[in-house]
Amino acid sequence: MAELDGSMSGEWRFDPEHTRVGFSAKHAMITTVRGAFNDVEGIIQLDTDNLSNSTVTVRLQAASVDTRNEKRDAHLRSPDFFDIETYPEIVFTSTTIDEVEENNFMVVGDLTIRDTTKQVAIPIVLLGVSRDPMGNLRAGFEATRRLNRRDYGLEWNLPLDTGGVLVSEKVTLEFEISAIKTEGEAQEG
């Protein structure tokens, strides 16, 4: 586990090959369906001397949604859900970052899905910082946050004969982030 120090200040970019932004939701009230967005960009501007100057921006291409079922993915891309033709990106932009205890942060910001922007707080854990074999300074983070999808205009559903609905309103977001510090000669790998 690494503590924040001055050498960590600067720009960090998500390594898309080693980062997962996923989600899970209940299907038919009894099973869990998991998915992820395969096209993820993220930038962390870190100021370890004054954490309040730090920012995080995350961009997900909605068309990259992947639940391992092409029919379901096509439905998620449709106007019933993400409406990717009109709203191609899902964007999170931080407004505040606070260290709530060692290596645990509360990142608050604006999450925009479709045409709706709401403030969310995401508890994030810094798992560690180390040099990888290619010389990159790499940091690992994890976070989980539940949201109500209807708050973002994702209203589609079907009632079940036994009561309840086909797709849960609550969706759990799952973040497994590997970020690389922007430095001189290091290579991504």
Side-chain angles (χ1 to χ4, degrees), residues 1 98-106 123-126:
M1 196 64 78
D98 292 309
E99 187 170 20
V100 292
E101 53 183 63
E102 189 174 328
N103 297 319
N104 287 269
F105 302 86
M106 186 60 68
I124 295 181
V125 177
L126 171 62

Side-chain angles (χ1 to χ4, degrees), residues 1-183:
M1 196 64 78
E3 291 186 38
L4 291 181
D5 66 45
S7 71
M8 295 180 196
S9 285
E11 180 181 89
W12 295 75
R13 291 191 172 266
F14 288 16
D15 175 1
E17 294 177 8
H18 298 98
T19 293
R20 179 179 175 275
V21 176
F23 58 90
S24 62
K26 289 290 184 195
H27 178 262
M29 308 291 291
I30 56 171
T31 61
T32 300
V33 171
R34 296 184 190 286
F37 294 92
N38 294 328
D39 190 344
V40 177
E41 285 182 28
I43 298 174
I44 303 166
Q45 292 289 344
L46 183 60
D47 181 346
T48 57
D49 294 329
N50 187 355
L51 203 54
S52 65
N53 290 333
S54 299
T55 60
V56 176
T57 304
V58 179
R59 294 184 178 282
L60 310 174
Q61 297 306 310
S64 75
V65 67
D66 182 359
T67 64
R68 300 182 312 123
N69 179 297
E70 189 51 47
K71 185 177 175 184
R72 180 173 45 231
D73 295 347
H75 191 202
L76 289 171
R77 292 179 188 115
S78 79
D80 283 344
F81 287 96
F82 295 121
D83 192 2
I84 65 166
E85 297 300 320
T86 308
Y87 310 106
E89 289 188 321
I90 297 168
V91 179
F92 174 82
T93 305
S94 69
T95 54
T96 62
I97 300 174
D98 292 309
E99 187 170 20
V100 292
E101 53 183 63
E102 189 174 328
N103 297 319
N104 287 269
F105 302 86
M106 186 60 68
V107 178
V108 177
D110 296 323
L111 176 62
T112 302
I113 301 174
R114 293 175 56 117
D115 59 349
T116 303
T117 301
K118 299 233 178 243
Q119 188 177 75
V120 296
I122 303 171
I124 295 181
V125 177
L126 171 62
L127 301 174
V129 177
S130 67
R131 288 257 173 222
D132 67 20
M134 284 63 67
N136 297 301
L137 187 59
R138 187 179 291 269
F141 302 90
E142 283 188 353
T144 303
R145 177 67 162 93
R146 276 184 65 165
L147 297 175
N148 187 328
R149 66 184 176 88
R150 295 185 71 198
D151 290 346
Y152 293 90
L154 304 175
E155 298 281 343
W156 185 91
N157 226 332
L158 289 175
L160 299 174
D161 291 341
T162 57
V165 291
L166 187 62
V167 181
S168 64
E169 291 180 7
K170 297 289 186 179
V171 176
T172 301
L173 301 178
E174 305 154 348
F175 303 90
E176 298 157 5
I177 299 165
S178 180
I180 297 173
K181 187 164 192 270
T182 303
E183 297 178 304

